[in-house]
Amino acid sequence: MEVITSTKEIESINFDSPFAFIPTMGNLHKGHLSLVKYGKENYSEVITSIFINPLQFGKNEDFSSYPKTISQDIQLLENLGCNYLFIPEANFAENLDIIKPNFSDVLCGLSRPSHFHGVLTIIDKFLRVIKPDACLFGLKDYQQQLIIKDFVERKKIKTDIVSLPIVREKSGLAMSSRNNYLSDEDKKFCGKIYSCLKNLTPSLKITSLEVLKTEAKDFLQHAGFEIDYFEIVDANNLSPVTKKTDKVLIAVAVIYKKVRLIDNIVASL
Ligand code: PAF
């Protein structure tokens, strides 16, 4: 694997087409690695980036303490045959015009108001620098991939946004770099978040969504989670469910021992 640390250099490479790009903030886990595996199986070359993007962190968030495991990450990427790792210069996020996303005034966008602006601004820069045929994302960040898909479509950028399944711990907890802040026991316990989502789906067609939301929130609160949000929305546009909605997103964000955890499930109505 070639490690590239200069934007100029990555811009000058002629990658073998079709090639896939996987943007990450490092501290790679099995969720990221599933994207690299998918990339290797479906594209000629895979470029992964590691960049902790300052633009997407709020004032009181964990930008400075975000886990950094670069040598371990390099080894994991090497093992999977990733072709290139791009680690941009520290000033990569400087002097960019902030892009306003659609679909950012609900769910995570409410509690993290500038988060998706920061994500979209950096993804736009990556797409302009790397010009990949495809860009791969995990569905754990459902809102993120929807926002990026919408942007790429609106701007007619010639990159496929490919969204891939959530990878979970044995307990069901969705893989996330922030799980590193939890003990093994905590990770097992936090499997309750996914159980709650799964248990609710069979009732979607027979019970009112408001009742289901209240029951789920009560369950999580009694279990010891602080609820940021628990919502059931139209999976196509994150707007309230109507008679026309055919697919819902059940999305949750909770705080457990100061760690913010998100998860979701998509279900047909
Ligand atoms: O999902 C992430 O890790 C980040 O939001 C991303 C897409 C790498 C942009 O910084």
Side-chain angles (χ1 to χ4, degrees), residues 1-168:
M1 179 176 73
E2 227 177 294
V3 180
I4 313 277
T5 53
S6 138
T7 303
K8 264 211 170 122
E9 190 181 346
I10 199 114
E11 275 175 328
S12 70
I13 299 175
N14 271 326
F15 300 108
D16 290 347
S17 261
F19 65 96
F21 171 55
I22 303 165
T24 81
M25 299 205 297
N27 191 232
L28 303 180
H29 51 69
K30 286 183 184 155
H32 297 116
L33 301 182
S34 73
L35 304 181
V36 178
K37 278 185 204 152
Y38 181 91
K40 287 297 294 179
E41 282 161 15
N42 292 279
Y43 297 89
S44 302
E45 286 192 308
V46 174
I47 298 108
T48 300
S49 67
I50 295 183
F51 181 65
I52 305 177
N53 170 26
L55 302 177
Q56 69 188 75
F57 287 81
K59 272 199 184 112
N60 299 319
E61 294 183 353
D62 53 350
F63 172 62
S64 49
S65 62
Y66 197 82
K68 296 167 192 76
T69 50
I70 193 74
S71 357
Q72 185 186 308
D73 293 347
I74 291 178
Q75 194 54 59
L76 290 167
L77 292 169
E78 291 267 14
N79 294 349
L80 290 179
C82 178
N83 303 89
Y84 295 89
L85 169 61
F86 177 40
I87 307 176
E89 302 87 342
N91 67 0
F92 191 70
E94 285 173 17
N95 302 320
L96 300 176
D97 290 333
I98 298 297
I99 301 175
K100 192 186 167 323
N102 286 341
F103 310 122
S104 67
D105 52 358
V106 288
L107 308 179
C108 288
L110 278 182
S111 35
R112 308 183 71 192
S114 57
H115 171 70
F116 291 117
H117 295 64
V119 170
L120 196 52
T121 303
I122 209 70
I123 290 298
D124 174 59
K125 172 137 188 203
F126 273 121
L127 294 180
R128 283 186 283 119
V129 166
I130 295 179
K131 301 184 179 65
D133 296 299
C135 198
L136 314 185
F137 293 93
L139 278 165
K140 180 178 76 76
D141 298 299
Y142 188 95
Q143 189 171 10
Q144 169 172 282
Q145 57 83 42
L146 189 79
I147 285 173
I148 295 168
K149 250 183 200 155
D150 165 74
F151 174 75
V152 163
E153 268 169 38
R154 280 191 287 120
K155 298 290 169 192
K156 301 190 171 35
I157 297 170
K158 287 189 185 126
T159 295
D160 292 333
I161 302 300
V162 180
S163 308
L164 295 165
I166 299 177
V167 179
R168 298 181 178 280

Side-chain angles (χ1 to χ4, degrees), residues 193 197 220 227 229-231 250-254 261-264:
I193 305 167
L197 292 172
L220 290 169
I227 313 273
Y229 64 76
F230 191 104
E231 293 295 344
I250 312 172
V252 60
V254 293
L261 302 166
I262 61 170
D263 202 349
N264 69 75

